[in-house]
Amino acid sequence: QEDLTGAPLHPQYRHLPIDTKYFTDLELDILALFDDLDAALDGWLIKSENYQALNTILPKFRERVQTIYIDPPFNTGDDFDYVDRFQDSSWLTLMENKLRLSKNFLYKKGSLFLHLDPRADYYGRILLDDIFDKNNFRNEIIWAYTGAGTTPGQFPRKHDNILWFSKSEDIL
């Protein structure tokens, strides 16, 4: 492989990510290189807000993805490495936009898995019923775990839910 000047790439730099914001005058040339290298790439690293990244890659991957797994903020009101303090209506809007966009990526026999906890799984089910159709609900997968904390007056939280929907009734 060669760099943009035609010089051979040193093997140790072969898999380094490129941030095109530092190469605005060459951005389109750099991105065009990836069209030819898709078969050789073993993955993509996209640093972006995920909704914007999805919009950017949609033309290339429309109806070409077999499986989507989404593990969003659970709408708990807590803070983690990402914002998780959304009010229900904001969380629903955020999720609806991403789920509708994600559906466009799925191959006609593809499936989407949405990982939520019991505080948000029913919201996710309502959204997915609307976006994918109730007939395309495949199953609810219960992910059991141990060591969860307890809240006074409640049973310990010991599972999350993964909702499985397909794009159509014809699945792989």
Side-chain angles (χ1 to χ4, degrees):
Q1 292 181 351
E2 301 174 343
D3 67 14
L4 292 174
T5 66
L9 286 178
H10 191 281
Q12 79 183 59
Y13 300 120
R14 189 168 170 211
H15 297 290
L16 286 177
I18 299 171
D19 191 341
T20 57
K21 76 178 180 184
Y22 297 111
F23 304 98
T24 54
D25 55 329
L26 297 173
E27 181 176 6
L28 295 177
D29 294 330
I30 292 170
L31 293 174
L33 290 173
F34 287 96
D35 289 336
D36 298 333
L37 296 175
D38 278 348
L41 292 176
D42 59 0
W44 285 29
L45 173 64
I46 300 172
K47 182 182 175 191
S48 175
E49 188 277 324
N50 58 16
Y51 185 73
Q52 186 61 41
L54 289 172
N55 276 300
T56 301
I57 65 172
L58 180 59
K60 184 171 188 66
F61 293 103
R62 181 179 296 276
E63 297 183 347
R64 294 180 59 195
V65 175
Q66 180 179 331
T67 304
I68 296 175
Y69 175 82
I70 300 176
D71 185 3
F74 288 170
N75 197 24
T76 63
D78 295 330
D79 258 341
F80 299 102
D81 289 340
Y82 49 79
V83 175
D84 193 27
R85 294 180 300 218
F86 298 108
Q87 297 299 318
D88 291 340
S89 61
S90 298
W91 186 86
L92 283 165
T93 300
L94 174 90
M95 290 305 301
E96 180 183 20
N97 292 339
K98 291 178 184 172
L99 290 169
R100 285 195 189 280
L101 187 57
S102 295
K103 183 180 179 185
N104 294 319
F105 284 89
L106 282 177
Y107 172 68
K108 64 183 174 182
K109 295 182 179 185
S111 293
L112 180 134
F113 296 84
L114 179 60
H115 177 183
L116 297 168
D117 74 352
R119 290 172 283 208
D121 67 329
Y122 59 98
Y123 289 134
R125 177 68 186 266
I126 291 168
L127 285 173
L128 291 168
D129 280 347
D130 180 56
I131 295 167
F132 284 85
D133 190 284
K134 291 179 182 183
N135 294 328
N136 293 327
F137 171 71
R138 296 293 160 236
N139 211 337
E140 180 176 16
I141 302 162
I142 303 301
W143 177 6
Y145 49 81
T146 60
T150 60
T151 303
Q154 294 182 357
F155 288 110
R157 297 201 188 278
K158 298 215 175 227
H159 78 279
D160 287 344
N161 307 64
I162 301 173
L163 301 171
W164 173 20
F165 276 75
S166 61
K167 186 168 182 178
S168 69
E169 293 185 35
D170 186 19
I171 63 171
L172 294 174

